[in-house]
Amino acid sequence: MLDPEKIPVITIDGPSGTGKGTISYLLRSWLNWHLIDSGAFYRVLALSILDDEIDLLDEKKIASLASGLALEFVDSGIETKILYRGDDCSNAIRSEACGVAASKIAVYESVRSELLSCQRNFAVLPGLIADGRDMGTVVFPAADLKIFLTATSEERASRRYKQLIKKGIDASLPALLRDIRERDERDINRAQSPLKASDDAVLIDTSNLGIEEVMLKVRQIVKIRGLA
Ligand code: C5P
């Protein structure tokens, strides 16, 4: 039985290309809870840095940009739109360049600590789905359910390749695989909030599963935990 005083939180962590975003969106639609895509915070910061030609090594300046960073996650009916200062930046932040820059600034402790309260503020009733790398380990350590999605780097690169080609964007599979591996390396080995499964997380390897199959497993776990 859920404590009515407590805001329920489900965390979905894992590397990029494991289906976190889609599963989080489907969960949000099913449960009618709020959603936070924590990677969007790092990506929006990265976009501002690239646009304004700020030095990626200037931690102090980047931390000041991160302070009070306010994003909105709006359900368009088919996906989550990310609004920053009222502008829809959902597409602009999805570039590979933004992803790479995001993972470079995500190593800074001062940047992460500025973003912590911005992210925790999303935990409001009726509940929150939190998508990221450190949602279960650092941001919401007391979450009611923690899910950690994995998949081989080859499978994740291939999914990304198909997504880009479908959108009419030119892509190179070997380059995507290299970027994914480099990004994993940085995310896993950084000193601050590294990408890792919380000890109490449920692990799901999505390498050979379609989204419906993953969602079926997730729904079962959510029901078993009494969250739906
Ligand atoms: O999930 P997404 O690919 O949008 O995240 C972009 C980058 O932001 C990741 O590679 C990671 O370095 C960083 N990130 C993070 N902590 C999170 C979410 C994302 O460090 N909770």
Side-chain angles (χ1 to χ4, degrees):
M1 187 66 186
L2 283 181
D3 174 356
E5 300 285 306
K6 189 174 177 286
I7 298 158
V9 175
I10 299 177
T11 58
I12 314 275
D13 285 307
S16 59
T18 48
K20 276 180 303 127
T22 310
I23 294 298
S24 299
Y25 180 76
L26 293 173
L27 254 185
R28 170 212 202 150
S29 310
W30 177 45
L31 295 172
N32 251 313
W33 288 7
H34 300 278
L35 178 140
I36 174 179
D37 167 2
S38 58
F41 285 84
Y42 297 94
R43 285 177 180 268
V44 166
L45 270 181
L47 185 66
S48 309
I49 289 162
L50 296 175
D51 281 354
D52 297 342
E53 296 182 11
I54 293 167
D55 185 352
L56 281 170
L57 297 175
D58 192 345
E59 177 174 351
K60 214 167 156 194
K61 174 126 195 187
I62 299 169
S64 77
L65 285 176
S67 165
L69 188 76
L71 299 187
E72 286 172 74
F73 300 97
V74 178
D75 185 357
S76 76
I78 44 167
E79 60 180 351
T80 305
K81 293 275 177 208
I82 293 143
L83 305 189
Y84 174 51
R85 294 182 173 154
D87 288 336
D88 180 358
C89 60
S90 322
N91 290 333
I93 62 168
R94 290 291 153 215
S95 70
E96 288 306 306
C98 251
V100 171
S103 82
K104 288 187 177 163
I105 58 170
V107 302
Y108 296 136
E109 203 270 324
S110 57
V111 172
R112 304 197 75 88
S113 74
E114 288 292 352
L115 293 180
L116 207 56
S117 59
C118 308
Q119 297 179 342
R120 285 188 175 147
N121 286 342
F122 279 84
V124 282
L125 287 169
L128 179 70
I129 314 292
D131 160 347
R133 303 288 189 291
D134 60 343
M135 296 292 102
T137 48
V138 176
V139 184
F140 299 108
D144 301 82
L145 170 61
K146 300 176 185 179
I147 292 176
F148 193 87
L149 300 181
T150 60
T152 62
S153 48
E154 288 81 4
E155 175 59 26
R156 293 186 285 129
S158 150
R159 287 176 187 169
R160 181 76 183 137
Y161 178 77
K162 286 180 197 152
Q163 266 175 2
L164 291 171
I165 297 298
K166 203 169 153 197
K167 285 186 187 164
I169 301 170
D170 201 19
S172 145
L173 189 56
L176 286 172
L177 184 58
R178 193 195 54 227
D179 280 357
I180 279 187
R181 287 186 171 152
E182 280 176 11
R183 194 129 73 87
D184 284 356
E185 178 84 11
R186 256 195 308 276
D187 288 350
I188 291 167
N189 294 317
R190 68 181 174 223
Q192 308 301 328
S193 311
L195 167 65
K196 67 167 187 197
S198 176
D199 290 341
D200 50 353
V202 179
L203 264 60
I204 303 177
D205 184 345
T206 73
S207 305
N208 298 308
L209 299 177
I211 281 294
E212 290 78 18
E213 291 166 300
V214 180
M215 196 52 201
L216 196 68
K217 282 181 188 280
V218 171
R219 283 171 87 111
Q220 283 169 347
I221 303 164
V222 169
K223 283 185 183 159
I224 290 168
R225 294 285 177 96
L227 294 164

